[in-house]
Amino acid sequence: MAEAFNDVVLPAEKAQRYAAVAEEIASVLDGEPNLTARMATVSSMLANSFDSYFWAGFYVVDPTKEAELVVGPYQGTLGCMRIAFGRGVCGTAAATQQTQLVPDVHAFPGHIACDGRSASEIVVPVFDADGKLIAVFDVDSDRPAAFDETDQQWLERILAATFSQR
């Protein structure tokens, strides 16, 4: 099914594009229970659907460490290996369990520069079916203010549908 996605012509308008990608993600992942496969697929399909995405991937809650994220499936340049809850944009999203929409990463207190070209970022907490935080989904752009409420709404919707549903 993933091969078919490569031939899909996506709408230009952002919300319509997210809607089409959300439908394709659901279709590709239908029946796939493996968490890593689901994360890898979401990262790949979203990263390849939006020009503003410079880095897109998951930082997974490490079950062997207290309040720490470890890099998971992603698309892009080398990511940070580990991030403590409360540190940087990803750690803040994990600690608060709220989406962080950051138009200028250089103005964010404690921003972690995994790649100096990053200019803006959105990080969405990811919950399992029991409402437990399992990861954060991090998207960076090399453009300032690349993300807005449309990105937030659709990313939250896609991630909830992919990881929170039983």
Side-chain angles (χ1 to χ4, degrees):
M1 182 54 88
E3 293 80 20
F5 178 71
N6 295 328
D7 298 329
V8 172
V9 176
L10 295 170
E13 196 274 322
K14 189 192 297 189
Q16 291 176 0
R17 179 171 288 236
Y18 270 114
V21 174
E23 188 174 311
E24 291 295 323
I25 288 171
S27 176
V28 168
L29 291 177
D30 186 36
E32 177 53 61
N34 184 275
L35 188 61
T36 302
R38 294 178 81 76
M39 288 181 176
T41 299
V42 168
S43 297
S44 175
M45 291 180 77
L46 284 168
N48 286 292
S49 297
F50 294 91
D51 291 337
S52 59
Y53 283 35
F54 173 73
W55 194 98
F58 291 87
Y59 282 96
V60 180
V61 175
D62 187 337
T64 67
K65 303 266 185 171
E66 186 174 335
E68 189 169 278
L69 301 167
V70 62
V71 70
Y74 70 91
Q75 300 283 310
T77 59
L78 187 63
C80 295
M81 198 59 58
R82 292 186 172 273
I83 300 172
F85 280 32
R87 186 165 177 251
V89 182
C90 289
T92 299
T96 63
Q97 299 191 2
Q98 295 181 342
T99 297
Q100 302 296 305
L101 183 59
V102 183
D104 178 3
V105 296
H106 306 293
F108 190 89
H111 174 254
I112 303 167
C114 297
D115 188 313
R117 294 173 288 178
S118 181
S120 60
E121 187 170 5
I122 184 169
V123 181
V124 181
V126 181
F127 303 96
D128 67 11
D130 297 323
K132 179 181 173 191
L133 180 72
I134 57 170
V136 297
F137 184 67
D138 178 22
V139 184
D140 290 25
S141 179
D142 57 0
R143 304 174 194 167
F147 309 109
D148 59 21
E149 291 75 20
T150 300
D151 298 283
Q152 180 173 343
Q153 174 191 13
W154 277 100
L155 289 173
E156 288 173 351
R157 182 181 298 179
I158 289 167
L159 294 166
T162 305
F163 299 100
S164 298
Q165 307 297 319
R166 287 191 188 263

